[in-house]
Amino acid sequence: MTWVLILAAILSYVTLLYRRRGFLAWLIGSLLLLAGLKVAGASGFWVGLGALLVGTLAALFGLKPLRLNLVTRPVMRMMAKMLPKLGETERIALEAGTVWWDGQLFSGRPDWQSLLDFRVNPSNAEEQAFLDGPVQELCAMIDDWQVQQLRDLPPEVWAYLKKAGFFGMIIPKQYGGLGFTADGHSRIVTKISSRSATAAVTVMVPNSLGPAELLLHYGTDEQKQHYLPRLASGEEIPCFALTGPEAGSDAAATQSVGIVEERKVDGESVMGMRLSWKKRYITLAPVATLVGLAFRLKDPEGLIGEAGKDYGITCALIPRDTPGMQIGERHDPMGIPFMNGPTVGEDVWVPLSYIIGGAERAGQGWRMLMESLAAGRSVSLPALSVGATQVATRLVGAYATVREQFDTPIGRFEGVEEPLARIAGLTYILGGARRLTCAALDAGHQPSVISAIVKAYMTDAMRDVITDAMDIRAGAAIIRGPRNLLARMWASIPIGITVEGSNILTRSMIIYGQGAIRCHPFVEREISAIADDRLEDFDQALFGHVNFVASNSARALVLALTGSRITRVPDIDQNGERFMQHLSRFSAAFALASDMAMGTLGGSLKRREKISGRLADCLAWMYLASSALKRFHDEPKSTVNYDLLKWVSAHALYQIQQALLGVIDNLPNRLVAWKLRWIVFPLGARFKPPSDRLGRNVARSILDDRQARQSLTADIYVPDAAEPGLGALEAALDKAVRALPIEARIKEAVREGRLDRAPGGSLDALALEQDIISAAEFALLAEADAARDEVIAVDAFSAEEFVRLR
């Protein structure tokens, strides 16, 4: 009876913690333990001592005045010393944007039904018409090899971009723009990027973080009426000058400065600012007519306020022809010829009215940038990544079917199947992440943490996909020329990895550094209460946090022991439901590991970037996995989609597991690490990467299933058959597929001894002579062979042409 009561106490404690009933867990567990002591015949002394202990704890934690003064206040003082000191720029960055599904993933029990019910609207008719019309026409106009050689887009392409309104996609119609949704904007960039990275970047920048975005949210009415129509029509070409030699990833450290200064203009006194700056890596700067500038504004003489005040980061719009501005030189970013270059200003005087939002917005530039960052970072580079991965999928799927070695399409070799599966699986993930993130933006969310995830992890996945595609195409991938689109994509990859916050910084500092505070249900409340010395608010947050840790400990352990099976998830199908259950388990494990890392490392976690980077990996892969699940739920079910979901599930769960193991293995407090391992992985690390059989099924989907391959790559531009590269390869694939049954009949005749072995074309001729194939079939084989020869050919240049290549 004694052990039954003690076991009941433990089970009650764990179950109630699992259900987030911390106080009931303590109360019922304590009473059952006391009953166990009594039944066991313990002496009155021990039972009394137990009762005294329970009563003391009940009074200490149950009576608010005692708890506040004896428990909460000392803990508050201790945490105040542990927490890192946040500067104003860090605080603004942390407060920017909103929390969405990332908060659910940090909760330990994500609400999957809310994700599945979240509406992802398809592109509207106007956006689809723009994709089918102007975007299609633009892509047809562009010869990316010619762009590479000219080192710029042709004049007619620049003119068309302006005429069709490509520079005004995010500008509302009332100002002459197109007023497209985030999803429509993203799909347009995806399609253009599949044709030319140079054209895509040229379109991306005016529609990303920069003058138009900032004017829409913060500009004065006068500024909006003046600039937005001119930006929408392309009359003004914008750039935004943020990065400088001294301020790269730490953009707030800029040494660009503005000094408040009064001058006479046309005989009247005008309050203005004298600006000096050195900026670099500024896209569109060489051709920009309007420069958005970030700088620190100072007022040493107190002309607009307190003397000597440093207002902080301020944003202003400076016309190109302003005296003192130097602009027009070009950088050469990896040979990709989009416009990018430096700009320098020395004692450039402009009125205070040039500040975006007017003089009253002085010093609010950093907040403006951080609050606007989520939209641009969620759209531009993720869309470019989707375009590149879909092209690679389309390209290598066809090439691995058409290209033969040892009388076998190279896609049939297991060594090629493996990267083909990665290409298809990652392309599926990226398409889902693009779609879900844009839908969140269109629903009014500003998911700052998620925007950092999709920027960093989608560009990293693009790098992996293009690397695999290059390996599959082998020699044909490294010979530059009109036939080789992959080489130009390969060269552009480091640009996406680097800009808008390098991926190393984004992973190790931004995603988890911001996510741990913004997405955690209690940490931000605790920090705020400590900063403002609000004891009662801290008390509520603290004990909510304690209950949260205890609940996630129980939940992570129980789900690990039961194979995640006892958590409830919505009905999709067996594979989708198991995926959600495992992700729920890892959500609890991730939340617990986060709390253990924060609790043991305190403010030093900010500097332990390897640990914070692995925690970022956990959060990122849970989000990417969620987006793939959402895609699977929303799209028609098929055998291919089932296989893709299984591949994504195995790949994502393995990545999350390995990241958590990395955190546990490297926590400095080894006792906590040991306990954490016992809770999170009581049965060991059991998740494995996708199996060879599953990889083969996924690879075959882009080799054999034309419809699946087209569905996976539906967002890209496919040129006509006459064009070298993807267009010719698509045509060759059609011919090769029609020839396959004829070739199979010939091979069967050879195996049966009815036909002697002979090299390619000779064997076809022998088959014709012996009536194994008809004349029409022989002609079809010859046509397929000629098409194969054409698409496996590489470019060559005369000596005169070669020296002129760029």
Side-chain angles (χ1 to χ4, degrees):
M1 184 63 179
T2 303
W3 291 107
V4 170
L5 287 169
I6 292 174
L7 181 61
I10 295 171
L11 288 175
S12 298
Y13 186 73
V14 171
T15 301
L16 288 165
L17 282 181
Y18 181 90
R19 301 300 299 169
R20 288 189 176 172
R21 300 292 186 269
F23 177 74
L24 282 176
W26 171 81
L27 178 62
I28 294 175
S30 299
L31 292 174
L32 286 171
L33 283 172
L34 287 174
L37 288 172
K38 183 67 175 176
V39 170
S43 68
F45 169 78
W46 289 109
V47 174
L49 182 62
L52 178 64
L53 179 62
V54 169
T56 301
L57 291 173
L60 185 60
F61 290 98
L63 298 175
K64 189 173 181 180
L66 283 177
R67 183 179 72 247
L68 287 175
N69 288 288
L70 297 181
V71 178
T72 305
R73 191 176 295 280
V75 173
M76 188 175 183
R77 290 179 186 140
M78 180 182 68
M79 286 187 66
K81 296 177 182 178
M82 291 175 58
L83 289 173
K85 302 299 181 184
L86 297 180
E88 180 67 10
T89 55
E90 288 179 300
R91 185 183 63 78
I92 290 172
L94 287 170
E95 292 174 352
T98 59
V99 176
W100 182 56
W101 182 248
D102 43 340
Q104 289 285 333
L105 295 173
F106 229 116
S107 72
R109 50 177 70 236
D111 181 0
W112 292 106
Q113 192 62 58
S114 70
L115 178 68
L116 300 183
D117 290 344
F118 179 70
R119 183 169 176 78
V120 178
N121 294 315
S123 291
N124 59 48
E126 188 176 1
E127 291 168 350
Q128 189 61 51
F130 193 81
L131 278 160
D132 296 338
V135 178
Q136 187 78 5
E137 185 174 346
L138 172 67
C139 290
M141 293 173 67
I142 295 171
D143 177 343
D144 199 46
W145 178 251
Q146 178 195 40
V147 171
Q148 186 80 21
Q149 301 311 302
L150 291 175
R151 310 297 290 148
D152 191 7
L153 296 171
E156 61 271 20
V157 172
W158 276 104
Y160 187 74
L161 289 172
K162 296 175 182 180
K163 176 185 174 184
F166 280 91
F167 295 149
M169 288 192 290
I170 67 169
I171 296 175
K173 293 180 181 179
Q174 70 189 85
Y175 299 110
L178 298 175
F180 284 166
T181 63
D183 183 70
H185 171 195
S186 172
R187 289 184 64 199
I188 290 164
V189 172
T190 296
K191 190 166 186 175
I192 298 171
S193 69
S194 72
R195 183 60 163 167
S196 167
T198 298
V201 172
T202 302
V203 170
M204 281 161 45
V205 170
N207 293 287
S208 187
L209 178 61
E213 178 86 7
L214 295 174
L215 283 168
L216 283 170
H217 294 297
Y218 309 104
T220 65
D221 288 339
E222 183 181 359
Q223 289 171 338
K224 291 177 183 178
Q225 294 295 337
H226 177 75
Y227 281 119
L228 290 177
R230 297 158 69 90
L231 289 166
S233 68
E235 182 180 351
E236 297 277 12
I237 300 295
C239 71
F240 194 81
L242 178 61
T243 302
E246 74 294 335
S249 298
D250 185 10
T254 182
Q255 293 179 19
S256 301
V257 66
I259 305 297
V260 178
E261 186 178 273
E262 189 174 20
R263 289 191 183 181
K264 292 283 187 180
V265 178
D266 296 331
E268 294 185 7
S269 295
V270 177
M271 197 64 69
M273 47 195 172
R274 178 168 43 86
L275 302 167
S276 295
W277 71 85
K278 289 183 180 179
K279 304 289 188 178
R280 62 184 184 182
Y281 312 147
I282 311 304
T283 300
L284 294 188
V287 295
T289 62
L290 184 65
V291 178
L293 184 70
F295 58 94
R296 299 194 73 88
L297 182 65
K298 300 180 180 181
D299 185 10
E301 297 180 13
L303 297 177
I304 59 173
E306 180 184 343
K309 181 174 181 179
D310 181 347
Y311 282 84
I313 303 295
T314 302
C315 295
L317 297 177
I318 317 296
R320 182 190 184 97
D321 58 3
T322 303
M325 180 186 293
Q326 301 173 39
I327 194 168
E329 290 185 332
R330 292 183 67 175
H331 296 312
D332 184 9
M334 296 299 295
I336 307 301
F338 62 89
M339 290 292 170
N340 184 278
T343 175
V344 175
E346 188 67 35
D347 292 333
V348 178
W349 189 89
V350 295
L352 287 180
S353 60
Y354 281 26
I355 294 174
I356 297 175
E360 57 269 29
R361 289 281 187 182
Q364 297 184 28
W366 187 245
R367 181 179 297 279
M368 291 157 61
L369 292 170
M370 291 300 99
E371 290 176 349
S372 302
L373 183 60
R377 194 165 58 182
S378 296
V379 174
S380 297
L381 290 170
L384 188 146
S385 301
V386 170
T389 56
Q390 288 193 10
V391 167
T393 300
R394 191 78 166 240
L395 198 73
V396 298
Y399 186 79
T401 301
V402 171
R403 179 69 163 130
E404 293 186 354
Q405 292 286 273
F406 309 105
D407 291 328
T408 303
I410 63 170
R412 300 299 179 187
F413 294 99
E414 288 196 354
V416 176
E417 273 184 356
E418 190 172 17
L420 279 173
R422 281 196 299 268
I423 288 170
L426 290 174
T427 299
Y428 185 80
I429 291 173
L430 264 60
R434 184 208 67 78
R435 176 177 175 271
L436 181 62
T437 307
C438 288
L441 290 172
D442 288 330
H445 300 285
Q446 293 291 323
S448 54
V449 174
I450 287 174
S451 75
I453 288 172
V454 293
K455 184 274 165 181
Y457 286 80
M458 289 178 72
T459 53
D460 268 343
M462 171 180 65
R463 171 165 52 187
D464 294 339
V465 167
I466 300 301
T467 299
D468 279 334
M470 293 284 287
D471 286 349
I472 291 170
R473 291 209 71 187
I478 63 173
I479 304 301
R480 295 174 61 232
R483 288 178 168 86
N484 190 356
L485 178 59
L486 271 182
R488 297 189 290 281
M489 288 186 171
W490 171 265
S492 70
I493 287 170
I495 301 168
I497 298 291
T498 302
V499 301
E500 292 188 3
S502 69
N503 284 5
I504 290 176
L505 170 84
T506 302
R507 172 183 177 266
S508 61
M509 294 181 66
I510 296 176
I511 293 172
Y512 188 73
Q514 191 170 14
I517 295 176
R518 288 303 311 278
C519 303
H520 194 289
F522 298 103
V523 168
E524 188 175 19
R525 289 163 55 188
E526 289 168 336
I527 291 175
S528 176
I530 290 172
D532 298 335
D533 197 26
R534 300 193 312 272
L535 184 62
E536 292 197 14
D537 289 347
F538 179 77
D539 179 74
Q540 291 182 1
L542 173 65
F543 285 95
H545 196 160
V546 170
N547 187 39
F548 181 72
V549 172
S551 173
N552 281 324
S553 300
R555 185 171 172 80
L557 176 61
V558 171
L559 291 179
L561 291 172
T562 61
S564 314
R565 292 183 183 278
I566 67 170
T567 187
R568 292 182 180 179
V569 295
D571 294 333
I572 303 182
D573 83 302
Q574 184 177 3
N575 294 312
E577 290 163 22
R578 291 296 292 141
F579 195 8
M580 282 186 282
Q581 287 177 323
H582 289 314
L583 287 173
S584 292
R585 169 197 168 183
F586 276 138
S587 173
F590 165 72
L592 178 62
S594 293
D595 279 317
M596 294 302 100
M598 287 187 282
T600 58
L601 292 170
S604 69
L605 180 57
K606 182 179 178 181
R607 299 183 297 277
R608 301 298 294 264
E609 294 169 16
K610 295 175 185 176
I611 290 176
S612 65
R614 294 183 185 106
L615 289 167
D617 292 341
C618 294
L619 183 59
W621 275 105
M622 285 193 292
Y623 178 73
L624 295 173
S626 300
S627 68
L629 263 168
K630 174 64 173 169
R631 176 176 184 172
F632 177 78
H633 172 266
D634 291 352
E635 290 183 346
K637 304 298 180 289
S638 67
T639 302
V640 171
N641 282 350
Y642 280 116
D643 287 335
L644 284 166
L645 181 69
K646 288 184 218 174
W647 190 95
V648 170
S649 172
H651 182 74
L653 293 171
Y654 182 74
Q655 297 296 323
I656 298 166
Q657 171 188 270
Q658 296 308 109
L660 281 171
L661 287 171
V663 172
I664 293 170
D665 288 343
N666 291 280
L667 275 179
N669 188 317
R670 298 314 299 158
L671 177 61
V672 170
W674 177 82
K675 290 181 177 179
L676 186 59
R677 182 185 291 273
W678 184 83
I679 292 171
V680 175
F681 296 111
L683 304 178
R686 304 172 71 89
F687 291 100
K688 306 296 182 186
S691 68
D692 291 348
R693 177 180 295 179
L694 178 57
R696 180 172 62 252
N697 292 343
V698 171
R700 293 289 172 86
S701 71
I702 60 172
L703 292 172
D704 300 341
D705 191 330
R706 185 73 178 272
Q707 183 177 355
R709 187 166 143 270
Q710 290 177 345
S711 174
L712 202 56
T713 61
D715 297 312
I716 65 172
Y717 173 78
V718 180
D720 62 48
E723 181 175 310
L726 181 58
L729 188 55
E730 286 286 305
L733 177 64
D734 288 338
K735 294 171 183 176
V737 168
R738 289 199 300 270
L740 283 175
I742 307 170
E743 292 172 343
R745 201 184 323 146
I746 294 173
K747 290 178 182 178
E748 183 180 3
V750 171
R751 285 196 302 271
E752 293 174 352
R754 294 184 290 119
L755 194 62
D756 293 333
R757 294 184 181 276
S762 301
L763 184 62
D764 297 345
L766 286 173
L768 176 63
E769 287 178 11
Q770 298 185 27
D771 293 328
I772 294 173
I773 62 174
S774 67
E777 290 173 327
F778 178 80
L780 197 153
L781 287 175
E783 188 180 0
D785 286 341
R788 281 194 183 99
D789 291 343
E790 170 59 27
V791 297
I792 66 173
V794 297
D795 295 291
F797 306 92
S798 69
E800 293 79 10
E801 291 172 323
F802 187 82
V803 297
R804 295 195 298 269
L805 291 182
R806 297 185 177 185

